[in-house]
Amino acid sequence: MLNRVILMGRLVSDPELKTTGTGISVTSFRIAVDRSYVKSGEERKADFFDIVCWRNSAEFVCRYFGKGSMIAVDGQLQSRTYQAKDGTNRYVVEVVADSVSFTGERRENAGGYGNQSYGGSQSYGGQSYGGNQSYQAVPQAQIPDAPASYQSGSNADFQDMPLDDDLPF
């Protein structure tokens, strides 16, 4: 069976980090995802999805994302029921994130890391991002360089392939 969700949208509000009774970090937030189709004469519509992140991913989201930030989420749909304070039973469907990623935008005040993805424990510039630690922004000079891209190269970077019939395919 397959249960996979990949979404990219903007946070509707600032995420808030909470801790369970056993000390596990959790955050939940909502993202707005624009629909691709727009009827002529109307504004673009958006769908809103509830996202839940646990442990290191929750700490990462709360540290580097805020209201209006673009975020990419990879996870699974999960449904649950609970009893509200007024005694009524509620049914919710939410995305439980396996990983979250920056989308290429850079927030000036958050010290983001470009197109990095976060699903587990990572380390940048000697600063570890895993477990229950306090996080400090890493100076820009310590951020690892992005790998080289063919998009930034030129035709001079490639060699012509000989035209013979002894190709392996």
Side-chain angles (χ1 to χ4, degrees):
M1 294 195 206
L2 182 65
N3 180 357
R4 205 85 215 132
V5 176
I6 301 171
L7 298 168
M8 186 167 68
R10 295 192 181 275
L11 273 75
V12 174
S13 62
D14 289 331
E16 182 180 331
L17 187 65
K18 296 180 181 178
T19 306
T20 65
T22 57
I24 297 172
S25 300
V26 62
T27 189
S28 59
F29 53 94
R30 180 171 284 181
I31 63 172
V33 178
D34 286 338
R35 293 184 181 175
S36 59
Y37 179 75
V38 181
K39 290 183 181 178
S40 62
E42 290 186 9
E43 286 190 29
R44 182 176 301 275
K45 294 185 179 179
D47 294 302
F48 296 86
F49 299 97
D50 294 323
I51 313 292
V52 178
C53 293
W54 292 90
R55 298 177 176 81
N56 297 334
S57 293
E59 294 170 5
F60 176 75
V61 167
C62 290
R63 172 79 173 127
Y64 293 105
F65 294 89
K67 180 179 180 178
S69 297
M70 183 74 83
I71 190 170
V73 177
D74 180 8
Q76 301 175 29
L77 274 180
Q78 199 170 74
S79 61
R80 63 184 173 90
T81 57
Y82 68 95
Q83 193 168 40
K85 292 179 182 176
D86 63 2
T88 61
N89 289 330
R90 304 279 173 95
Y91 176 80
V92 294
V93 176
E94 53 202 2
V95 176
V96 178
D98 293 329
S99 66
V100 295
S101 303
F102 290 108
T103 61
E105 286 186 340
R106 186 177 291 251
R107 284 187 56 191
E108 294 301 321
N109 61 352
Y113 293 109
N115 283 325
Q116 296 294 330
S117 175
Y118 193 83
S121 181
Q122 294 183 357
S123 174
Y124 292 102
Q127 187 76 9
S128 176
Y129 292 93
N132 291 327
Q133 303 171 11
S134 62
Y135 300 133
Q136 298 177 2
V138 178
Q140 290 288 344
Q142 294 181 8
I143 297 173
D145 292 333
S149 169
Y150 291 115
Q151 293 175 347
S152 62
S154 67
N155 287 339
D157 295 335
F158 298 93
Q159 295 179 357
D160 286 334
M161 198 168 169
L163 296 174
D164 59 6
D165 291 334
D166 293 337
L167 295 175
F169 48 89

